[in-house]
């Protein structure tokens, strides 16, 4: 009983620590790393470069079945909010008409096996070309929307008449009754008129999903 009480108090203290302090604690021992990990990973924003994203998702995969002190680490279960800003996934290019475009640097970070481990994910922001991700990984939409606690998504560059839109629509038709989305934001290159949004079709199915789930307003 004393051990449980002490662990609870220590966990409470860690909850008030800064990220830098939590990092220092996690370096002391593997046991302390287990205590710090839920607080470190609760909100993740990868804003440096594609290599940082790859490194983080590899960390999720490589530790999904790792055992420390008779406890499976599985760090993906601690990630509640995940944000990938556009400048960390792409390079900006200005065309002849002075329009500024972001071109995906690499599609590699979006491997399905890593996303499948984010079981408690509630909020996701991806400011990258979703169309490119879905072209390289057709299962991305299904894996993302299958996160059982996901309620908020903010996706960029869905694309007009796109593969991404169609894939998201297919998932909604198959699993509309189990998807818990409450807030959907999206960005369409070229403006909203470039993406046909019809109830029951493509990405429009995601926007109208709230009317299909019992108990939603």
């Amino acid at each position: 009983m004393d051990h449980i009480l002490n662990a609870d108090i220590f966990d409470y203290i860690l909850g008030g620590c800064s990220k830098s302090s939590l990092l220092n604690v996690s370096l002391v021992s593997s046991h302390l790393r287990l205590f710090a990990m839920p607080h470190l990973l609760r909100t993740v924003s990868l804003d440096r470069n594609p290599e940082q994203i790859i490194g983080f998702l590899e960390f999720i995969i490589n530790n999904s079945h790792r055992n420390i002190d008779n406890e499976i680490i599985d760090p993906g279960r601690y990630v509640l909010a995940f944000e990938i800003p556009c400048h960390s996934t792409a390079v900006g290019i200005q065309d002849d008409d002075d329009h500024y475009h972001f071109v995906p640097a690499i599609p590699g970070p979006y491997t399905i096996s890593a996303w499948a481990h984010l079981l408690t994910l509630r909020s996701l922001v991806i400011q990258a070309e979703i169309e490119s991700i879905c072209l390289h990984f057709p299962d991305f939409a299904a894996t993302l929307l299958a996160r059982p606690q996901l309620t908020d998504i903010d996706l960029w560059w869905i694309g007009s008449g796109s593969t991404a839109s169609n894939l998201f629509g297919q998932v909604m038709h198959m699993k509309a009754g189990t998807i818990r989305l409450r807030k959907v934001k999206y960005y369409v290159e070229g403006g909203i008129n470039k993406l046909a949004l019809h109830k029951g079709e493509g990405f429009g199915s995601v926007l109208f999903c709230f009317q299909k789930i019992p108990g939603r307003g």
Side-chain angles (χ1 to χ4, degrees):
M1 184 66 181
D2 290 339
H3 173 73
I4 296 176
L5 179 61
N6 291 336
D8 288 343
I9 292 175
F10 188 55
D11 185 68
Y12 178 79
I13 293 172
L14 289 178
C17 292
S18 64
K19 282 290 181 74
S20 59
S21 297
L22 289 169
L23 283 172
N24 290 332
V25 169
S26 69
L27 295 175
V28 174
S29 70
S30 59
H31 185 68
L32 291 179
R33 188 177 304 122
L34 288 176
F35 276 103
M37 195 173 295
H39 303 282
L40 273 171
L41 299 180
R42 184 171 289 124
T43 300
V44 176
S45 180
L46 306 178
D47 58 0
R48 294 180 186 172
N49 49 47
E51 288 73 22
Q52 183 193 31
I53 302 172
I54 293 174
F56 177 75
L57 295 183
E58 286 181 346
F59 165 75
I60 295 294
I61 295 172
N62 295 338
N63 289 280
S64 60
H65 299 293
R66 187 182 175 192
N67 189 307
I68 292 182
D69 294 340
N70 295 319
E71 182 176 346
I72 299 297
I73 299 179
D74 193 15
R77 60 179 167 158
Y78 299 125
V79 181
L80 304 183
F82 194 10
E83 178 180 5
I84 302 178
C86 59
H87 60 269
S88 64
T89 63
V91 293
I93 296 179
Q94 193 170 15
D95 62 22
D96 295 335
D97 297 323
D98 291 331
H99 293 141
Y100 200 66
H101 302 279
F102 283 102
V103 179
I106 49 174
Y110 307 101
T111 53
I112 300 304
S113 55
W115 291 98
H117 288 290
L118 305 182
L119 294 176
T120 60
L121 186 66
R122 299 176 185 175
S123 174
L124 176 67
V125 178
I126 301 182
Q127 296 178 349
E129 190 170 317
I130 300 299
E131 175 71 5
S132 177
I133 296 171
C134 288
L135 282 171
H136 285 87
F137 302 99
D139 292 334
F140 177 77
T143 303
L144 175 61
L145 293 181
R147 301 309 87 209
Q149 299 185 39
L150 184 65
T151 58
D152 296 11
I153 58 173
D154 184 351
L155 306 177
W156 285 38
W157 291 311
I158 298 296
S160 57
S162 67
T163 297
S165 178
N166 292 333
L167 288 173
F168 275 94
Q170 291 172 15
V171 176
M172 290 305 305
H173 283 298
M174 292 186 295
K175 300 184 177 182
T178 62
I179 293 173
R180 304 179 60 186
L181 291 178
R182 294 181 180 274
K183 182 179 179 181
V184 176
K185 294 178 64 177
Y186 63 98
Y187 175 85
V188 181
E189 186 175 9
I192 190 172
N193 293 330
K194 295 292 184 179
L195 179 63
L197 297 175
H198 302 291
K199 183 176 180 179
E201 295 182 17
F203 199 73
S205 301
V206 180
L207 299 181
F208 289 101
C209 71
F210 310 103
Q211 300 178 16
K212 299 181 180 180
I213 303 177
R216 296 283 174 82

